[in-house]
Amino acid sequence: RECSIRVALLDALAPRAKDDPVVRDLVIEAIKSNDWQVQIAALQAFRLAPNKAAASHLVGALKGATGRIRNEINETLKSVTGVDKHGEYEAWKTWWDENGDEFLAGTYVPHPSERADNKGNSTFYGLPVFSTRLVFLLDTSASMQEKPNWLPPDFNLKGEASRLEVAKFELKKIITLLPANAEFNVILFHSWLEPYSEKMKSMTGGERTKCLKWVEAIKLGDGTHTWEGIEEVYRAAGGNFWAKNASGTLDSVYLMTDGVPSSGVSDIKQFVDKIVALNRFKKITIHTIGVDPPANGEELLKQVAAATGGMYIRR
């Protein structure tokens, strides 16, 4: 019954999910779990070892799914079927009712229009945002006052732009677009950490307006204490490697920085190894944004994203 042990077992059994019917059935059952970390581990197993027999169960699991789970199910269906219905349950159900038998027989060929990439409805620095339980971890060191090499297409302060102003613009835009059921937090890091809140906040009441005002008042500091920010994220997610998973905790992080860590853990291999250890049972995805980073900074961000199943983008 322990969430972390079930995650570990699913990770270990994942390579057999394609050819072993007993493992396949165990993974299918795990998709129904009340623990989202277990659901993610099960879905990742079918992406590693796609099994056609799982397709109908995946379509069924999509009904009522939201946020990151909805996107993860859709991504798994894409891996299993070669088709993309953009996370829409009714579209997937219709597709399955019409083509399921042909698909299972191995004779179905996806139409070109069904193979389109899922771009998502909202973005942060151009990265799609699917999660409704997420944290934005943002570098506000002194170098963020420099002129940016990239501006959002709809950015309207081009004459006085700085990396910080772009960050504020992107943050305000995504906070405005987050759905009402979203739970979020923002953590700034420079010489110390400045969280918007000590805990995740619900996007209810006047929280959206309150956070937008807080973002507008963000100031710069010195230093780039990236690892301290990462540690704070995992503290908010329930603690260290051995801590029990909490079913309602954050599942996605967007990490933006223009530099390299100036304190704490700074070696790339050690940094990534420690994240892998912390994330072993947590299954948090870390998406990374490099704002004109140096070569070693970009390599770190690429490896962090790759190690956690996230995406990296350079801006």
Side-chain angles (χ1 to χ4, degrees):
R1 289 187 290 270
E2 170 54 43
C3 174
S4 296
I5 294 175
R6 288 155 67 202
V7 168
L9 288 169
L10 286 164
D11 287 349
L13 291 168
R16 295 168 55 183
K18 181 176 182 179
D19 300 316
D20 188 327
V22 175
V23 173
R24 176 201 64 203
D25 292 346
L26 286 170
V27 177
I28 288 172
E29 191 63 27
I31 294 173
K32 306 172 187 176
S33 173
N34 291 326
D35 294 310
W36 67 263
Q37 297 93 337
V38 174
Q39 291 180 285
I40 295 293
L43 293 166
Q44 290 176 347
F46 279 138
R47 291 217 288 277
L48 176 68
N51 190 307
K52 288 184 177 182
S56 63
H57 300 278
L58 292 166
V59 171
L62 198 55
K63 186 175 183 179
T66 60
R68 181 184 168 192
I69 294 296
R70 177 176 181 264
N71 182 59
E72 292 275 356
I73 295 172
N74 189 74
E75 291 300 306
T76 306
L77 277 165
K78 286 166 63 177
S79 295
V80 172
T81 67
V83 172
D84 185 7
K85 294 297 179 181
H86 309 290
E88 299 295 334
Y89 168 69
E90 292 298 336
W92 271 113
K93 186 177 184 303
T94 299
W95 177 84
W96 181 257
D97 291 343
E98 294 176 352
N99 305 292
D101 291 341
E102 191 177 353
F103 169 74
L104 291 173
T107 57
Y108 182 76
V109 179
H111 188 274
S113 64
E114 296 177 324
R115 297 197 295 264
D117 290 332
N118 188 343
K119 299 298 184 182
N121 295 321
S122 304
T123 63
F124 182 64
Y125 278 92
L127 292 178
V129 175
F130 302 103
S131 174
T132 52
R133 297 196 300 270
L134 68 170
V135 169
F136 299 96
L137 184 58
L138 306 181
D139 179 355
T140 52
S141 59
S143 58
M144 288 291 290
Q145 67 185 339
E146 295 181 11
K147 185 177 179 179
N149 288 324
W150 174 84
L151 290 173
D154 49 348
F155 189 77
N156 56 8
L157 296 173
K158 295 181 181 180
E160 49 185 289
S162 68
R163 293 172 181 175
L164 177 64
E165 289 303 319
V166 171
K168 288 182 178 182
F169 177 84
E170 286 293 303
L171 192 52
K172 287 189 289 186
K173 183 167 63 175
I174 192 61
I175 288 170
T176 301
L177 293 173
L178 286 176
N181 67 334
E183 294 186 4
F184 77 103
N185 201 0
V186 182
I187 301 173
L188 312 178
F189 62 92
H190 42 85
S191 298
W192 60 87
L193 303 182
E194 291 186 61
Y196 169 64
S197 170
E198 293 302 317
K199 59 182 181 179
M200 299 284 281
K201 302 295 287 186
S202 297
M203 193 62 77
T204 56
E207 202 64 53
R208 198 185 306 267
T209 300
K210 180 182 175 183
C211 187
L212 289 171
K213 290 181 179 178
W214 181 84
V215 170
E216 189 57 43
I218 290 174
K219 304 296 183 184
L220 296 176
D222 293 317
T224 309
H225 291 200
T226 316
W227 181 252
E228 286 84 342
I230 293 290
E231 284 189 312
E232 179 64 14
V233 164
Y234 282 94
R235 183 200 63 76
N240 62 20
F241 177 95
W242 297 109
K244 288 187 176 181
N245 286 340
S247 60
T249 188
L250 67 100
D251 60 30
S252 300
V253 175
Y254 285 78
L255 166 62
M256 181 280 290
T257 180
D258 68 345
V260 294
S262 61
S263 70
V265 181
S266 57
D267 176 77
I268 292 178
K269 184 178 186 307
Q270 185 182 10
F271 196 107
V272 175
D273 286 349
K274 287 176 76 68
I275 283 182
V276 170
L278 284 171
N279 208 44
R280 177 67 180 83
F281 306 125
K282 297 288 185 277
K283 296 297 182 182
I284 295 169
T285 291
I286 304 178
H287 305 289
T288 58
I289 302 105
V291 178
D292 196 26
N296 55 341
E298 182 165 50
E299 183 60 26
L300 173 63
L301 293 174
K302 285 181 177 179
Q303 290 195 29
V304 168
T308 61
M311 297 173 283
Y312 167 76
I313 196 167
R314 182 186 178 94
R315 289 306 190 198

